[in-house]
Amino acid sequence: MGDPSEKKRRRAEDDTPKSKKKKSEGAGAAMEFSITKVHTPQVSPPVVAITPGFLLRDKHAFDVYEKVPQQANKRRKSGGIPQAPEMALHSSTHVSIDYTARETEQMLNHYLAIVDPKTKEIEIISAKKMMVRHKVRAQQEERKEPGEESAAQTNYERRTALGEEFGTRKAKKALKSVADNAIMASTDNLGQAENTMLQNVKEVFATSATKEELQAAVDQVRPVPKGNYNAEHIQDVYIPREIIGSEILNAVPVMDWQEAVRNNEAVNVPSRFVAHRIARVAANKEDKERLQVLRYLLWVIILWVTTGKGRERGTKTIAKRDKLRELLSPAPEVVIENIRRKFSDNGVMRKEHMELLMTHCCVFASIIDNFEVNMNDLREDLKLEQKQLAQYFMEVGARVKQSKAGGVMKHIAKLQLPLVFPRIRSGARR
């Protein structure tokens, strides 16, 4: 334990007596004033204005605008304190600047004190705190008589702006109606430049192609076999010797098929459409041309199903010449080159080549089936969707319909006069 003498000792208290009198903070005594009256003016109250960012040096006359709250009467009836009207000031007496003052801190009450040093009385008056903003007035258009008309127009614009800012709903609606009518009137009174432009547009449309001319142009470039669309009989529309060529068609061998059918021997071909029709077509010895079209169609189908994916997007490549001779055997070289050149460009099939091949197949199938084709077999051979094949048949002028027999749905494409081609799609009627 520590020595008792080392314990902390209390500080010696100051024996000097403290003065109970408070010292005066100021040298002189303040003057006494008394508030005599708190005045709430009936007219527009005085304004305590601030001008942030600029100095309002000149004296400008401000016009006063007030907006009375719509629910003021209801509040008075319910016993609540009526809301003071909203006030705004505007001045356009400056040469190029407009001044607008709006209330700030509406939830606080502001007052001005008027001091009379003689009678030592203070009168307090209710005031509004407002903020003044300035804006450079836009340059008005030059008028022929810049007199009373110009001043009236400026005053109207000011009244319109204030009405849109502080007006009632009914007043704002009326101002909007006037503006809409002015816009409609301005479109009726077009100048010479606008009338000239409209006249040029009319001339351009007058010389533009009609819908019939556009349809004729589309028919000419449609990727379909060459046909005689003015023929009186359906057999004369698509003629095989004109589509394929007489020399090429005569080079197509069919004697082996005729002998096989005569001896009741089976003919194996990689096509359902051709296999189901060889016996019927080859049995007619007098119609050798149709059998030649059937074999030409077989080689076109083989060309299509043996294509590969091309280097470019959306293209296909056909087999090389040596491989193609093996696939199309026993086709003569002239027939192979004819098929290769007709449906490809140096061994590359693009979209136009593919569409041309499909429409040729549709025409050949129609010729073989007496212009009324059940599309199921051909759809399987070409590996197409039903909708796609129907579209190709319609491109050559056929009508497509459905029929159900024995629980099996058949899709029939029929060629008959007059041929019906797809029309140009027109926009929706407005």
Side-chain angles (χ1 to χ4, degrees), residues 21-245:
K21 295 182 180 180
K22 295 181 179 180
K23 295 182 180 181
S24 175
E25 296 178 358
M31 298 179 63
E32 296 181 357
F33 292 89
S34 59
I35 299 174
T36 59
K37 185 178 181 182
V38 178
H39 181 64
T40 302
Q42 299 296 328
V43 296
S44 298
V47 172
V48 179
I50 57 175
T51 57
F54 69 97
L55 295 177
L56 191 63
R57 294 180 178 178
D58 300 334
K59 295 182 179 180
H60 300 284
F62 284 83
D63 298 328
V64 181
Y65 299 90
E66 290 185 349
K67 179 180 179 181
V68 180
Q70 297 181 359
Q71 299 180 353
N73 296 331
K74 295 182 180 179
R75 292 181 179 177
R76 290 194 184 98
K77 291 180 181 179
S78 60
I81 300 175
Q83 186 179 359
E86 185 179 355
M87 189 174 72
L89 304 178
H90 182 76
S91 174
S92 58
T93 56
H94 194 274
V95 178
S96 59
I97 300 177
D98 287 343
Y99 296 97
T100 304
R102 290 185 173 86
E103 293 185 51
T104 60
E105 300 180 3
Q106 298 182 5
M107 303 303 295
L108 298 178
N109 295 326
H110 301 273
Y111 297 92
L112 290 177
I114 301 176
V115 181
D116 190 351
K118 294 182 179 180
T119 61
K120 298 182 180 180
E121 294 180 352
I122 299 177
E123 183 177 358
I124 296 178
I125 302 177
S126 176
K128 286 183 177 292
K129 185 178 180 180
M130 308 189 78
M131 182 179 294
V132 183
R133 297 290 187 183
H134 67 290
K135 184 178 181 182
V136 179
R137 188 181 304 115
Q139 296 181 357
Q140 304 294 330
E141 296 181 358
E142 296 181 0
R143 295 181 174 86
K144 295 181 180 180
E145 298 179 358
E148 296 180 356
E149 182 181 356
S150 177
Q153 182 68 13
T154 304
N155 292 332
Y156 174 75
E157 293 176 354
R158 292 201 298 268
R159 289 198 302 270
T160 302
L162 291 171
E164 293 177 352
E165 184 69 23
F166 299 100
T168 60
R169 291 182 181 179
K170 186 176 181 180
K172 291 180 180 179
K173 187 176 180 181
L175 291 174
K176 185 178 182 300
S177 178
V178 172
D180 294 342
N181 292 336
I183 293 174
M184 294 299 295
S186 63
T187 57
D188 296 335
N189 300 326
L190 297 176
Q192 176 133 13
E194 289 84 355
N195 288 327
T196 303
M197 182 181 67
L198 291 177
Q199 187 66 26
N200 293 336
V201 171
K202 291 180 181 179
E203 293 177 358
V204 170
F205 277 100
T207 57
S208 60
T210 62
K211 187 175 181 180
E212 289 74 13
E213 293 174 349
L214 292 174
Q215 183 65 45
V218 170
D219 294 340
Q220 290 179 358
V221 298
R222 182 180 285 114
V224 296
K226 182 180 179 182
N228 181 18
Y229 302 115
N230 297 323
E232 297 181 357
H233 303 282
I234 191 62
Q235 295 84 356
D236 300 332
V237 176
Y238 295 108
I239 302 175
R241 294 192 175 275
E242 294 181 359
I243 299 174
I244 301 174

Side-chain angles (χ1 to χ4, degrees), residues 3 15 137 203 211 232 247 255 263 265 312 384:
D3 190 357
D15 297 336
R137 188 181 304 115
E203 293 177 358
K211 187 175 181 180
E232 297 181 357
E247 182 181 355
M255 291 185 61
N263 299 329
E265 298 176 358
E312 299 179 9
L384 297 176

Side-chain angles (χ1 to χ4, degrees), residues 290-308:
R290 185 174 295 185
L291 187 60
Q292 291 172 330
V293 173
L294 182 62
R295 195 156 201 179
Y296 188 92
L297 173 61
L298 173 64
W299 291 333
V300 172
I301 293 175
I302 294 174
L303 175 75
W304 169 251
V305 297
T306 56
T307 55

Side-chain angles (χ1 to χ4, degrees), residues 310-330:
R311 294 182 179 180
E312 299 179 9
R313 185 177 180 181
T315 63
K316 289 181 177 294
T317 57
I318 64 175
K320 301 296 183 179
R321 280 188 171 87
D322 295 339
K323 183 66 176 178
L324 200 60
R325 292 190 187 98
E326 181 182 350
L327 293 172
L328 303 184
S329 178

